[in-house]
């Protein structure tokens, strides 16, 4: 299924595109503090120019981490969707591209955004080690080392769990359990793409499509939650109907980009890191009955 929104086409991503999407995700998350902090970096990583670029071991590990997200979402029957520009579709169908609407010519600057949704009760879990291993998530986490794994699983995910549980209970939503909700596992704008809010437009379309399918199957639309670590993310998600459920600060010992602070770090640098190193969880409720919820 595909749809258009102005200059963009929204559609399901093909697994053959995962390498390109992982690279986009890598470049988009490069300045985000928690992704660098998870890897315990002493120096920032460089951009990856193309899928054929030579990679350092640290770059390769992070790419593998993002690729595992796509496999994990598909293993749980979730959605991996992308937005791309109309001008990059093939001009004619062929045996390898039977539908000109379904495949792009794949220059990364033609893909504007990527969104991943996980259905209720489908989460990365240590109780499903085989799925975690096959997706590549478990090997990627092991590659972070003990300190990095502690930061991801105990500190970061622990904070998310506490915030969302408290927020849901306060609103009497989903019996206070995030497992009863749809999870946005990723919402990324390609930093090479110039245009108006492609990621949040894609996210809004995919959520509405998800709710439409739930209703067509005889069920009720399920609330959607996500987490973000940047102020810009909060504003973008609020623009498509999310509200803040909880927020907490994280003592990272790193700068505002999640890079380890050196002994020469001044108070201004430390204060900026304290302001930026925050986690938030957000929730979007389905519309009230009678209001439109059609996927565009």
């Amino acid at each position: 299924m595909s749809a258009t929104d102005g200059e963009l086409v929204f559609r399901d991503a093909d697994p053959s595109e995962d390498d390109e999407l992982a690279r986009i995700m890598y470049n988009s998350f490069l300045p985000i503090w928690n992704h660098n902090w998870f890897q315990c970096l002493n120096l920032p990583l460089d951009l990856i120019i193309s899928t054929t670029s030579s990679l350092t071991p640290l770059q390769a590990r992070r790419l593998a981490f993002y690729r595992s997200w796509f496999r994990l979402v598909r293993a749980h029957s979730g959605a991996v969707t992308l937005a791309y520009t109309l001008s990059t579709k093939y001009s004619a169908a062929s045996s390898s591209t039977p539908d000109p609407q379904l495949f792009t010519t794949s220059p990364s600057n033609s893909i504007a955004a990527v969104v991943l949704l996980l259905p209720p009760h489908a989460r990365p879990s240590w109780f499903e080690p085989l799925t975690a291993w096959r997706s590549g998530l478990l090997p990627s986490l092991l590659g972070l080392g003990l300190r990095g794994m502690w930061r991801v699983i105990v500190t970061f995910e622990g904070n998310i769990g506490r915030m969302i549980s408290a927020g849901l209970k306060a609103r009497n939503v989903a019996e206070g359990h995030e497992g009863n909700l749809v999870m946005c596992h990723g919402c990324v704008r390609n930093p090479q793409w110039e245009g108006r809010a492609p990621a949040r437009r894609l996210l809004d379309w995919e959520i509405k499509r998800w709710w439409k399918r739930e209703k067509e199957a005889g069920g009720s639309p399920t609330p959607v939650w996500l987490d973000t670590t940047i102020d810009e993310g909060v504003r973008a998600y609020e623009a498509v109907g999310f509200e803040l459920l909880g927020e907490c600060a994280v003592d990272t010992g790193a700068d505002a980009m999640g890079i380890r602070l050196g002994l020469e770090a001044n108070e201004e640098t430390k204060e900026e890191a304290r302001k930026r190193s925050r986690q938030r969880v957000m929730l979007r409720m389905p519309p009230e009955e009678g209001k439109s919820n059609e996927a565009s």
Side-chain angles (χ1 to χ4, degrees):
M1 176 182 177
S2 64
T4 60
D5 179 5
E7 78 280 24
L8 293 176
V9 174
F10 301 148
R11 63 166 174 82
D12 293 312
D14 187 83
S16 65
E17 297 171 302
D18 285 358
D19 284 349
E20 185 70 12
L21 299 182
R23 190 182 73 83
I24 289 170
M25 203 167 264
Y26 169 100
N27 287 337
S28 180
F29 286 143
L30 205 55
I32 308 301
W33 68 265
N34 52 302
H35 294 258
N36 295 316
W37 184 63
F38 294 158
Q39 278 193 292
C40 309
L41 296 182
N42 294 320
L43 294 170
L45 298 179
D46 291 329
L47 287 167
I48 297 177
I49 304 304
S50 76
T51 54
T52 59
S53 298
S54 297
L55 305 177
T56 67
L58 286 173
Q59 288 176 317
R61 289 187 199 121
R62 190 177 294 193
L63 273 181
F65 181 52
Y66 298 141
R67 276 195 296 268
S68 75
W69 291 13
F70 305 128
R71 290 192 288 266
L72 183 76
V73 168
R74 293 191 181 100
H76 287 293
S77 301
V80 180
T81 53
L82 61 80
Y84 72 98
T85 51
L86 280 167
S87 61
T88 58
K89 68 182 181 181
Y90 284 105
S91 58
S94 68
S95 58
S96 59
T97 58
D99 185 340
Q101 286 280 6
L102 294 183
F103 291 88
T104 72
T105 52
S106 287
S108 63
N109 60 0
S110 73
I111 298 175
V114 186
V115 163
L116 298 85
L117 290 190
L118 274 168
H121 309 294
R123 299 289 182 270
S125 173
W126 301 114
F127 298 104
E128 295 181 340
L130 188 59
T131 300
W133 184 265
R134 286 176 173 172
S135 69
L137 179 63
L138 184 53
S140 294
L141 289 173
L142 291 172
L144 295 175
L146 291 177
R147 180 181 295 179
M149 289 181 67
W150 181 273
R151 289 176 174 181
V152 173
I153 298 167
V154 178
T155 303
F156 196 84
E157 294 297 333
N159 286 342
I160 287 175
R162 287 186 289 273
M163 286 189 293
I164 195 166
S165 178
L168 293 176
K169 287 177 181 177
R171 291 162 176 77
N172 195 28
V173 173
E175 300 178 354
H177 193 333
E178 56 90 6
N180 294 327
L181 308 179
V182 174
M183 175 189 180
C184 176
H185 194 54
C187 179
V188 177
R189 177 188 183 277
N190 184 355
Q192 290 181 269
W193 192 84
E194 296 182 2
R196 182 179 62 83
R200 75 183 189 207
R201 289 159 64 189
L202 175 62
L203 177 61
D204 186 53
W205 173 79
E206 177 54 42
I207 290 173
K208 290 175 179 177
R209 182 174 72 149
W210 191 285
W211 286 342
K212 181 180 179 181
R213 288 174 172 174
E214 288 181 320
K215 293 182 73 173
E216 288 174 345
S220 299
T222 306
V224 182
W225 78 275
L226 53 74
D227 72 279
T228 182
T229 58
I230 56 173
D231 296 336
E232 296 87 344
V234 173
R235 292 192 292 270
Y237 298 133
E238 285 177 338
V240 290
F242 283 84
E243 62 173 310
L244 191 65
L245 273 184
E247 182 175 6
C248 72
V250 183
D251 184 7
T252 64
D255 66 15
M257 283 183 56
I259 309 300
R260 187 179 68 85
L261 285 171
L263 296 176
E264 72 283 358
N266 57 37
E267 282 303 315
E268 183 179 354
T269 299
K270 294 177 181 178
E271 180 60 25
E272 178 63 19
R274 284 190 286 269
K275 291 179 180 178
R276 297 287 292 179
S277 302
R278 303 189 68 82
Q279 292 180 247
R280 295 94 163 174
V281 291
M282 304 185 73
L283 179 72
R284 178 171 171 178
M285 296 295 294
E288 298 175 7
E289 286 299 321
K291 293 186 178 180
S292 174
N293 184 38
E294 294 297 310
S296 58

